[in-house]
Amino acid sequence: MPIFTKKDALKAHLQHYRDSGKAIGFVPTMGALHQGHLALVKQSVAQNGATVVSIFVNPTQFNNPDDLLKYPRTLDADVQKIATVHPDVVVFAPEVDEMYDGNTQSKHYDFDGLETKMEGAHRPGHFDGVGTIVKKLFDIVQPTNAYFGEKDFQQLQIVKKLVEKESLGINIVGCPISREESGLAMSSRNERLTEKERKDAAIIYRILQEAREHFKTESIAEVREHALEAFETHPEFKPEYFEIAEESTLETATLKENRKYRAFIAVFLGNVRLIDNISLN
Ligand code: PAF
């Protein structure tokens, strides 16, 4: 399985695919891969002549240094998991200096306000870090299609905006959230939950499903109130936000109009921060 740590070597390798007219699919990750990531890799393999998976824990998108420190780094296991999808998938696993050339700073981005809401409001600088690294990775890989999970729905919208604003000509493919049997959205952070917490965390999706039901008959304010009330009976969960927003702009919704809405949640369970979302209509 081809594994690269240097961008120039990767670029030269990918040129062969480009020269032979193959579409290149790209799945950017921070490693600690789970079935959700592998679903993205499978989709890319099915839709492209070549697939690249990057594994890079990007320091500039962590606003909490402890989170960066604790982020699982499992390169060998990740490579083995990718090989089970297809042995020809190309892995790019650079060091920090290779990506940042000794200047580990993010660029400041204006994503037309998408960056200031929800995750952006609670994780200052996060989307500057995401924009910076995704742009750098896109410049290296120059993919035809790039695959992002809908669990990070705000990130998905921001990457689409980045591609639009910088005219990158890359097709961004949003992929459905992969869930554990209990309904818990798959996330590398789930590894940090105790067995009991991981079981209890299924409540998050149940509350989102209830919100979808309530949305059929209740006002937006009522749906929100009911969701937050539901968490009150589970005091081990500390919700950071519960938002109902219009899908493309992520503007907080107040009145129901003929538009697509999603409910978004960020919640702490112990010291692990979990996010999830659901389409409401
Ligand atoms: O979603 C992630 O894992 C990261 O935010 C990404 C897109 C790989 C950028 O570091």
Side-chain angles (χ1 to χ4, degrees), residues 28-30 58 61 130 133-134 148 152 155:
T29 82
M30 296 205 297
N58 173 35
Q61 71 187 75
V130 170
I133 196 64
V134 169
F148 292 81
D152 297 297
Q155 167 174 279

Side-chain angles (χ1 to χ4, degrees), residues 232-279:
E232 279 169 22
T233 55
H234 302 283
E236 65 278 26
F237 290 88
K238 306 267 178 275
E240 197 171 53
Y241 62 77
F242 179 91
E243 284 279 348
I244 295 181
E246 195 275 317
E247 268 196 15
S248 60
T249 58
L250 301 181
E251 291 292 351
T252 304
T254 45
L255 287 176
K256 287 187 206 169
E257 290 167 41
N258 190 19
R259 304 179 78 177
K260 289 281 289 164
Y261 295 103
R262 254 177 204 260
F264 296 85
I265 186 152
V267 61
F268 276 95
L269 181 52
N271 60 4
V272 182
R273 187 174 181 278
L274 301 169
I275 61 170
D276 201 348
N277 68 82
I278 195 167
S279 165

